[in-house]
């Protein structure tokens, strides 16, 4: 049973946490801040994480898409705002094929080669995604090329997990997005995206602006 919480019945915004030891608790402050600005959200823990628990090795990237799909159909309304971190960046991009998505907000996003999508998490999956440059073969870029909503990417300046080229390619691929913004947080890393209070508040303001419709520009 997937476990999560929602600020209201049928939210238009869902927050998807990353991999490793992450859970929805990592985004409590962000969600509270968004809610105070009139943007309620739903979030849940993927299988193998947080309150949901279970065996991570029985899951996969495909399973994560299916889990998010089930929660969206149960607890959300369209059009959606997807806020996704790290591994869930790929999940969110895949979800744009299933749902109407007005806003796609990716925090330190990862993408993966299509061959890894159905592999169970474990040694085989790890071997597949650690092939140098394998992310360049991801189907995420072709999916993004037809996305017409607003895109905001918040990246870390010194990310030892996500290559700079990957972030740039995500940004460049979304050539039909209404808004296409890339914000690099100075002095930040993959596990410390907002090293200073100012960094968090600046990103929060950008997320709120995008959620409220954004501006018809790119940068």
């Amino acid at each position: 049973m997937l476990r999560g919480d929602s600020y209201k019945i049928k939210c238009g915004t869902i927050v998807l946490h990353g991999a490793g030891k992450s859970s929805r608790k990592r985004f409590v402050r962000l969600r509270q801040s968004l809610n105070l600005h009139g943007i309620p959200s739903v979030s849940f823990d993927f299988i193998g994480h947080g309150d949901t628990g279970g065996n991570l090795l029985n899951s996969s990237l495909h399973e994560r898409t299916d889990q998010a799909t089930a929660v969206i159909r149960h607890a959300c309304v369209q059009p959606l705002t997807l806020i996704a971190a790290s591994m869930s960046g790929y999940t969110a991009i895949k979800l744009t094929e299933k749902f109407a998505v007005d806003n796609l907000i990716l925090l330190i996003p990862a993408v993966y080669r299509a061959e890894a999508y159905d592999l169970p998490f474990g040694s085989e999956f790890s071997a597949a995604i650690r092939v140098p440059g394998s992310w360049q073969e991801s189907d995420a870029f072709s999916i993004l090329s037809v996305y017409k909503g607003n895109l905001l990417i918040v990246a870390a300046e010194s990310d030892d997990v996500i290559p700079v080229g990957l972030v740039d390619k995500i940004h460049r691929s979304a050539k039909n997005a209404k808004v296409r913004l890339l914000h690099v947080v100075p002095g930040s890393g993959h596990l410390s995206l907002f090293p200073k209070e100012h960094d968090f508040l600046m990103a929060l303001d950008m997320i709120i602006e995008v959620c409220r419709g954004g501006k018809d520009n790119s940068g």
Side-chain angles (χ1 to χ4, degrees), residues 27-86:
F27 299 94
V28 167
R29 186 187 180 196
L30 175 62
R31 294 181 63 212
Q32 288 177 340
S33 300
L34 290 174
N35 192 57
L36 289 173
H37 285 84
I39 305 171
S41 64
V42 62
S43 189
F44 72 99
D45 294 325
F46 286 100
I47 289 175
H49 298 266
D51 294 332
T52 294
N55 189 349
L56 182 65
L57 298 181
N58 290 332
S59 191
S60 65
L61 288 171
H62 196 156
E63 284 285 336
R64 285 173 73 101
T65 302
D66 289 346
Q67 292 162 43
T69 296
V71 173
I72 289 169
R73 288 177 175 163
H74 174 73
C76 297
V77 291
Q78 299 180 65
L80 296 168
T81 291
L82 302 177
I83 302 176
S86 195

Side-chain angles (χ1 to χ4, degrees), residues 100-136:
V101 178
D102 275 355
N103 306 305
L104 181 60
I105 299 165
L106 306 177
L107 313 177
I108 49 175
V111 300
Y112 304 91
R113 62 196 303 183
E115 291 81 356
Y117 191 54
D118 290 302
L119 294 177
F121 293 139
S123 58
E124 189 177 359
F125 173 79
S126 296
I129 67 171
R130 286 175 181 164
V131 175
S134 63
W135 57 266
Q136 298 186 54

Side-chain angles (χ1 to χ4, degrees), residues 5 15-32 43-45 49-50 83 85-87 107-108 189-194 200:
D5 63 87
V15 179
L16 305 174
H17 70 77
K21 297 181 180 180
S22 189
S23 73
R24 74 185 194 281
K25 291 181 180 178
R26 186 163 292 182
F27 299 94
V28 167
R29 186 187 180 196
L30 175 62
R31 294 181 63 212
Q32 288 177 340
S43 189
F44 72 99
D45 294 325
H49 298 266
I83 302 176
S86 195
M87 176 180 280
L107 313 177
I108 49 175
H190 192 76
L191 297 179
S192 57
L193 184 56
F194 304 122
F200 173 80

